[in-house]
Amino acid sequence: MPYDAAANRYDGMPYRRTGRSGLQLPAISLGLWQNFGGVDSFETGRAVLRRAFDRGVTHFDLANNYGPPPGSSEEQFGRWLDLDFCPYRDELIVSTKAGYLMWPGPYGNLGSRKYILASLDQSLKRMGLDYVDIFYHHRPDPDTPLEESMGALDQAVRSGKALYVGVSSYSPELTREAYRILKAQGTPFVIHQPSYSMLNRWVEDGLLDTLAELGLGCIAFSPLAQGLLTTKYLNGVPEGSRATRSVSFSPELITPENIERISALNGIAKARGQSLAQMAIAWVLRNPAVTSALIGARNVEQLDNSLDALNNLQFSDDELRSIDSHATEGGIDLWRSHSRIKPAA
């Protein structure tokens, strides 16, 4: 059936300004990192995107390497755009990234000008787009001068292939230096995408303060700690879960200590009338420095459950103190080495 977006799609979603820019993002955005690749169900992914937009999710986040196989999430997304969302392109924020391995040889990875700009061209071709709304450097490259990587982002905007740029997993110090370079060039650097959850709070050690000072937005990825902050692992590792099928999430992260944390947090969520996943998303959004929480979804039911976090975004002081006693480092930050890179001396 032809897709006709819900007439009330903007009624239930709050939108937040991205730093001091004019760009507004939905409080919850949809990421296509998992479950939207070439090996996944095309119609299930299509139904999730339709439902997300019907509920006010205007921001879809991708990267060159999302799949599997790498690149296939962008290809699938391009088909969904063509089938369903072409009439709504100006209502969408589409983002993609470059920074991880995409093709063999020295030019298919990290942060050189050659790689970043070639990757953007490939991404646009896969999605069938003339431009993306946000283009990110996906991770810092310690072996490429920051001026070169940021110069490539500037060129992406000047060529009309991106409207805004951002970075992901940059340290506070590296973010500040990237801001200095891009501001001098007049490049619209508006957002940082870090990992952030109740079991991974590294952004609270300087990054959120840095973003607020510089006027940059923050979109937090993996607010559910790749599914740990749900109830699915409280009684073992279910077959078909991410822990059994993803190289980015190891069953070794499901430690007794983490299960104890999750169980206690689940009790707090129940007392709030929320699922643990809903509370985890609401908790990330409690901080005004966070523009949007970036979620994934395997199906429409899972998407709806996550979006229902918006029904209760308020926390009492007692709830926050109780959460803080259990929301401690869970050893799940797979991007820690990237976020520790600092500017070259």
Side-chain angles (χ1 to χ4, degrees), residues 162-298:
L163 302 185
Y164 304 92
V165 300
V167 297
S168 181
S169 298
Y170 272 48
S171 67
E173 297 86 354
L174 205 62
T175 300
R176 190 177 296 276
E177 182 64 8
Y179 176 84
R180 182 192 66 78
I181 295 167
L182 291 170
K183 183 176 178 61
Q185 297 176 142
T187 314
F189 176 27
V190 298
I191 196 166
H192 188 299
Q193 187 175 135
S195 59
Y196 184 33
S197 72
M198 291 191 290
L199 300 181
N200 175 20
R201 301 179 64 169
W202 75 275
V203 299
E204 296 174 5
D205 189 21
L207 181 62
L208 290 180
D209 289 341
T210 297
L211 299 181
E213 176 191 341
L214 299 177
L216 300 176
C218 173
I219 180 167
F221 78 83
S222 203
L224 303 186
Q226 297 200 69
L228 262 183
L229 288 169
T230 66
T231 58
K232 72 172 66 173
Y233 296 114
L234 287 180
N235 298 304
V237 180
E239 188 61 35
S241 64
R242 186 180 297 192
T244 65
R245 62 187 178 86
S246 174
V247 296
S248 66
F249 186 83
S250 168
E252 295 177 0
L253 300 177
I254 308 172
T255 64
E257 294 80 11
N258 277 339
I259 294 299
E260 183 177 348
R261 293 182 180 98
I262 294 164
S263 180
L265 291 168
N266 187 46
I268 300 170
K270 285 182 178 179
R272 284 172 49 82
Q274 288 184 308
S275 69
L276 177 56
Q278 290 166 352
M279 186 179 79
I281 293 166
W283 181 88
V284 165
L285 291 170
R286 85 200 184 285
N287 193 313
V290 175
T291 311
S292 184
L294 184 60
I295 66 165
R298 183 177 294 186

Side-chain angles (χ1 to χ4, degrees), residues 3-15 25-28 48-60 84-93 303-304 307 310:
Y3 173 59
D4 188 17
N8 65 344
R9 57 188 176 276
Y10 293 113
D11 293 351
M13 175 66 71
Y15 297 86
L25 294 180
I28 298 178
V48 170
L49 264 68
R50 285 180 167 195
R51 179 62 172 168
F53 189 58
D54 281 346
R55 293 195 58 176
V57 177
T58 54
H59 177 27
F60 299 133
D84 295 329
F85 294 102
C86 280
Y88 307 103
R89 174 63 182 99
D90 290 338
E91 297 182 47
L92 298 178
I93 300 297
L303 172 76
D304 277 335
L307 292 178
L310 298 171

Side-chain angles (χ1 to χ4, degrees), residues 63-66 70-71 74 96-100 102 115 119 123 126:
N64 58 358
N65 65 323
Y66 288 176
E74 290 181 329
T96 195
K97 314 176 196 74
Y100 285 91
M102 271 303 291
Y115 164 65
S119 178
S123 290
R126 282 190 287 267

